[in-house]
Amino acid sequence: MIALNLREIAQAVGGELHLHGSTLTPESRIDGAVTTDSREIGPGAVFVAKPGDVTDGHLFAPTAVERGAVLLIVEHLLDLPVAQIVVPDAVTALGDLATDVVARVRAAGSLKVIGITGSNGKTTTKNLLKAVLERVGPTVAARESFNNEVGAPLTMLGLTLETRFLVAEMGASAVGEIARLVRMARPDIGIVLKVGLAHAGEFGGIDATVRAKTEMVTGLLETDVAVLNADDPRVAGMAGATRARITWFGQNGTEGVRATDVVASATGTTFRLHLASGETRPVAFRVLGEHHVMNALAAASAAELLGVDIDLIVSALESVHTAERWRMEVMGGRDGVTVINDAYNASPDSMTAALKTLAQIRRPGQRTIAVLGEMSELGELAGEEHDRVGLLAVRLNISQLVVVGRAARRMHISTINEGSWDGESAFVETPDEAFDLLRSTVRPGDTVLVKSSNSAGLRFLGDRLGEFFS
């Protein structure tokens, strides 16, 4: 965090400062990291005691102090000899502090903020854009998927006065949450990737999802730019909801940043990149899956708006070979067995994309195996969407399907009920059972896709398979 004194921090979060035996004064300056995780505390850090669903951050405050925290942001005063700021709501205070820090850094220098939202692809696009921008100047971007009301402000609090670019993922599980994050970061560029059924159960349906994602562009000013997916009608429709200038990306249109000559393979995807300026270059993109080309186009769109040269954009895109841990992560190799671990998250759209990739990269005579688990947070749509994925596996002629977990069982049922399929489907209750089955049935040369929502835990199954076949 940038250096602020205790008085300034208290004012930013609307809290009451208590020195409580600390040797600090209201004018003492703090520049340590801010975190809600006591395990990440180091000397000079600020610990935000966030109440949680399972436990309460206040219980870990003593550990934070032992590890070197010099300031606690708490909802009630604790009997600890350390400076404390008491606030009504710790999560709100965290956001208020992030808002203040972003505004100070923007006022002090040349900070540009890029906000990214969408049902799928946020983390990949963030990583791609970070790879481009960090070649131009100091760049701060979320680690992993820090994109909610806690993770996003923690990312923003990593700014320094030298930071030139902030790449902020903005996720949500309810209407109003993205709007709050937009008010914190005040993006100069707002990217909307796609609107799909991810988290539709939490939002209350696709229409509510559209409203939530539209908050990215409604919060932009006339001087800002909205970067919209021209190939997604729901995203394209957001053009009428913003005051900002519009620029487009996609594969099907003729405007904005585009890709042509797209060819997917087991080593990545090649395509020709066309910038809005008319400049064009071939790209050998090593991130597996044709669907990630759209994320590359979104990143290139923002980079072009920020004045980055096309050759630098292409070089940076080509340097990235994995979207993120557990996202189309290629593992294995022994006996020609390839394991694709894509089990960090899953929605109907991302599940479809992963299965299509599996089918696309299959070589003649090669077997493909899809190990699939639950797609969570779909609400009343869960049954029919799991059915649809099972039928898609049949229609793509996937050689073997292994369905893991009772919540995903309808995938298995829908495939065995499809009389036109001469493939096989197996159902197991647990990842351990799946591992035992696959260990004995995978043949040399097979390609195995592991895909599920995070909650199903199949990412660890993917790791076990990758290690076993390495």
Side-chain angles (χ1 to χ4, degrees), residues 32-201:
V34 181
T35 182
T36 60
D37 188 340
S38 62
R39 296 168 296 183
E40 297 180 353
I41 291 291
V46 178
F47 177 65
V48 181
K50 178 182 73 70
D53 295 332
V54 177
T55 188
D56 186 343
H58 293 80
L59 299 175
F60 299 93
T63 301
V65 174
E66 289 174 7
R67 289 176 175 267
V70 295
L71 173 64
L72 307 179
I73 296 178
V74 295
E75 294 184 0
H76 53 83
L77 196 62
L78 300 176
D79 187 18
L80 294 169
V82 64
Q84 301 173 48
I85 297 175
V86 180
V87 296
D89 185 293
V91 173
T92 299
L94 180 65
D96 290 341
L97 182 58
T99 302
D100 184 77
V101 166
V102 172
R104 288 175 184 267
V105 174
R106 189 188 293 276
S110 55
L111 178 68
K112 292 294 184 181
V113 179
I114 306 93
I116 303 170
T117 196
S119 298
N120 304 106
K122 294 184 294 296
T123 300
T124 301
T125 304
K126 175 261 298 182
N127 287 339
L128 294 172
L129 186 54
K130 176 178 180 286
V132 176
L133 296 180
E134 65 187 3
R135 298 188 178 200
V136 178
T139 301
V140 170
R143 75 175 192 264
E144 300 174 349
S145 294
F146 273 35
N147 61 26
N148 63 8
E149 61 180 356
V150 175
L154 287 174
T155 298
M156 298 173 202
L157 288 167
L159 294 174
T160 70
L161 294 177
E162 291 72 41
T163 303
R164 284 192 58 190
F165 305 107
L166 168 63
V167 185
E169 273 190 66
M170 297 184 178
S173 56
V175 172
E177 292 180 5
I178 292 174
R180 181 167 180 256
L181 298 178
V182 168
R183 288 193 296 271
M184 284 183 205
R186 240 287 288 132
D188 301 280
I189 298 172
I191 300 172
V192 186
L193 298 167
K194 185 177 181 62
V195 175
L197 293 175
H199 312 296

Side-chain angles (χ1 to χ4, degrees), residues 15 18 61 114 136 142 158 160 192 199 221 233 272 281 318 331 336 338 355 362 439 452:
H18 298 264
I114 306 93
V136 178
T160 70
V192 186
H199 312 296
L221 305 177
R272 176 161 285 276
R281 295 287 191 281
E318 291 184 335
M331 310 170 76
T338 300
L355 285 172
R362 174 177 48 211
R439 184 173 54 180
S452 74

Side-chain angles (χ1 to χ4, degrees), residues 92-424:
T92 299
L94 180 65
D96 290 341
L97 182 58
T99 302
D100 184 77
V101 166
V102 172
R104 288 175 184 267
V105 174
R106 189 188 293 276
S110 55
L111 178 68
K112 292 294 184 181
V113 179
I114 306 93
I116 303 170
T117 196
S119 298
N120 304 106
K122 294 184 294 296
T123 300
T124 301
T125 304
K126 175 261 298 182
N127 287 339
L128 294 172
L129 186 54
K130 176 178 180 286
V132 176
L133 296 180
E134 65 187 3
R135 298 188 178 200
V136 178
T139 301
V140 170
R143 75 175 192 264
E144 300 174 349
S145 294
F146 273 35
N147 61 26
N148 63 8
E149 61 180 356
V150 175
L154 287 174
T155 298
M156 298 173 202
L157 288 167
L159 294 174
T160 70
L161 294 177
E162 291 72 41
T163 303
R164 284 192 58 190
F165 305 107
L166 168 63
V167 185
E169 273 190 66
M170 297 184 178
S173 56
V175 172
E177 292 180 5
I178 292 174
R180 181 167 180 256
L181 298 178
V182 168
R183 288 193 296 271
M184 284 183 205
R186 240 287 288 132
D188 301 280
I189 298 172
I191 300 172
V192 186
L193 298 167
K194 185 177 181 62
V195 175
L197 293 175
H199 312 296
E202 288 186 322
F203 280 112
I206 191 65
D207 291 339
T209 305
V210 173
R211 289 198 301 275
K213 302 304 182 185
T214 303
E215 292 168 6
M216 171 63 79
V217 300
T218 55
L220 299 179
L221 305 177
E222 292 90 341
T223 53
D224 300 329
V225 184
V227 178
L228 302 181
N229 180 352
D231 296 351
D232 185 330
R234 295 187 181 103
V235 176
M238 296 178 188
T242 184
R243 298 167 289 176
R245 178 164 66 90
I246 305 295
T247 190
W248 303 96
F249 68 94
Q251 294 189 49
N252 299 325
T254 58
E255 295 184 64
V257 175
R258 299 179 292 117
T260 59
D261 305 324
V262 179
V263 179
S265 72
T267 58
T269 307
T270 60
F271 64 94
R272 176 161 285 276
L273 172 66
H274 303 261
L275 294 186
S277 65
E279 289 188 283
T280 180
R281 295 287 191 281
V283 180
F285 191 44
R286 293 192 291 166
V287 177
L288 187 63
E290 182 181 329
H291 54 290
H292 285 305
V293 170
M294 290 297 286
N295 301 325
L297 296 180
S301 298
E304 182 182 25
L305 289 167
L306 293 167
V308 182
D309 176 79
I310 187 171
D311 291 319
L312 190 153
I313 293 172
V314 171
S315 175
L317 292 178
E318 291 184 335
S319 74
V320 179
H321 57 86
T322 302
E324 179 70 73
R325 181 83 165 95
W326 298 312
R327 288 177 170 88
M328 300 302 284
E329 184 177 6
V330 179
M331 310 170 76
R334 176 168 59 84
D335 298 328
V337 173
T338 300
V339 177
I340 304 170
N341 192 351
D342 193 34
Y344 185 84
N345 221 329
S347 67
D349 289 328
S350 68
M351 190 74 84
T352 297
L355 285 172
K356 286 183 176 178
T357 296
L358 181 62
Q360 280 180 325
I361 66 176
R362 174 177 48 211
R363 298 186 302 273
Q366 183 184 40
R367 290 203 321 160
T368 52
I369 301 173
V371 184
L372 307 181
E374 179 190 13
M375 299 179 291
S376 62
E377 300 175 352
L378 292 176
E380 62 183 16
L381 300 172
E384 63 185 81
E385 290 301 325
H386 283 85
D387 288 343
R388 191 177 66 80
V389 168
L391 293 175
L392 179 64
V394 174
R395 290 163 188 163
L396 291 174
N397 199 27
I398 302 302
S399 307
Q400 172 76 56
L401 181 66
V402 177
V403 177
V404 186
R406 190 158 296 277
R409 189 168 181 267
R410 282 186 62 161
M411 290 185 198
H412 170 67
I413 298 301
S414 64
T415 59
I416 62 177
N417 286 340
E418 185 70 12
S420 63
W421 195 36
D422 61 357
E424 297 179 355

